[in-house]
Structures are given as C-alpha cells and as structure tokens.
Amino acid sequence: MIKKIKFPSLSFAHYFSGEIEAHGHMIFFYPKKRIKNAKIKFYGTYSKNILTLKEDYQDNEDKILRKWVFEKVNNNYFLGKEKNVIGNVIVKPENNYLMMNYKFKTNYKAIKFIVSIQDYMYQIDEKYLINKTKIYKFGIVIAESIMLYKKL
C-alpha cells in the first residue's frame, strides 16, 4: 500500500512571523536573457490581524529594503501594501500553498514601468517553502524567479 504524502497547511501569518531567509534566482527574458542570484531576509511580526514584513533583498547588482504590510481579512484572504505596489497585494492561502497577485512599479536602467506579478508559494514542511514568481508586461512573461525559503 502506498502511503499518502501529506504537506502541512500553510498559515501565511504564522510562517512569515519571525526570521526567514530565501535563496534563489531571478531569470530575465527581456531585453536579453540573464540570471541574477538573489538572497532575501525577511523579519516578520504579526499582531491584531496585521502581518508586517521587513524585506532585505539583494542580488548581483542591487540591495533593496522594503516594508510589506498585510491585513488578514479571513483565513483564506489577506490584503497587502508596499510603496511600489499599485492597489493591493491579494494573498489567497489554501492548504499548503498560497497565491499572490499584484501590480508593481519597477525600472530597468532609467526606464520606469509597471509589471503584473503572480507569486506561488508551496510549503514543504515546517521550515521550507518553495516560491515561483512570474512577472508579466503586456501579458508576456518577461521574468520569473525561483526561491527556496527557510524559516530560521
């Protein structure tokens, strides 16, 4: 008899409370294909249905500090803000994964533009989560990232 594989349920607020480290790659397809190694540290606090995440992002070329604030609407729905996000980040956790959608202001060299982001996170066990992100412009995938998150 085959044993059923079971993953833990992903609690967005619980997993991102405390310190998390992520490592992976950003793969850009436009204007030319290139890959950046990326490392992110998150510091999260959760209180009164508000998850606050301080993000310390760095790759081969950039070091960026961000602050994300997510409000829990219910167990399966969060709304988030960040200064470069247009509107809200919509977060929908379900079982051992979650999906996030949002529009984000970014730039390439001196050109500023807005992209659409689709984030998928899959919790593997109590410590590890896999993240795959697709970045769109005009409905075309212009970049994606693959990251491994570890709760410290």
Side-chain angles (χ1 to χ4, degrees):
M1 183 171 177
I2 297 174
K3 188 177 178 182
K4 187 175 181 181
I5 298 170
K6 187 168 169 96
F7 292 104
S9 291
L10 175 56
S11 167
F12 180 57
H14 175 74
Y15 186 84
F16 281 95
S17 292
E19 195 172 339
I20 294 106
E21 195 170 82
H23 298 267
H25 304 286
M26 289 285 299
I27 303 138
F28 297 87
F29 303 112
Y30 294 97
K32 64 180 180 176
K33 187 171 182 182
R34 60 193 169 98
I35 299 173
K36 287 185 180 182
N37 298 325
K39 181 179 177 182
I40 307 169
K41 278 206 162 192
F42 293 97
Y43 306 92
T45 57
Y46 182 66
S47 177
K48 298 180 182 172
N49 288 333
I50 302 293
L51 173 64
T52 303
L53 281 177
K54 293 180 181 176
E55 174 189 3
D56 183 358
Y57 172 92
Q58 92 181 48
D59 62 32
N60 305 28
E61 302 161 3
D62 299 309
K63 185 169 172 72
I64 302 165
L65 299 173
R66 294 186 182 104
K67 182 179 176 183
W68 300 83
V69 178
F70 298 92
E71 181 180 1
K72 181 179 180 178
V73 176
N74 61 48
N75 285 339
N76 297 321
Y77 196 76
F78 287 76
L79 290 176
K81 297 271 186 199
E82 197 277 335
K83 71 178 183 176
N84 293 302
V85 170
I86 307 292
N88 289 309
V89 179
I90 297 169
V91 183
K92 295 180 180 177
E94 185 177 321
N95 298 318
N96 76 309
Y97 65 93
L98 68 79
M99 182 178 66
M100 294 173 39
N101 288 303
Y102 54 99
K103 296 202 181 301
F104 194 79
K105 293 185 272 185
T106 190
N107 64 292
Y108 177 73
K109 298 190 179 183
I111 302 167
K112 294 181 181 186
F113 55 98
I114 297 169
V115 294
S116 296
I117 309 271
Q118 259 188 352
D119 245 334
Y120 293 93
M121 295 183 181
Y122 303 89
Q123 189 166 1
I124 304 304
D125 61 25
E126 294 303 315
K127 282 191 173 189
Y128 291 99
L129 183 143
I130 297 171
N131 173 232
K132 181 164 182 167
T133 303
K134 290 189 178 195
I135 303 164
Y136 296 87
K137 185 68 184 169
F138 305 122
I140 299 168
V141 177
I142 61 169
E144 61 186 25
S145 73
I146 300 169
M147 305 289 290
L148 177 64
Y149 286 58
K150 180 180 180 184
K151 186 166 180 64
L152 303 176

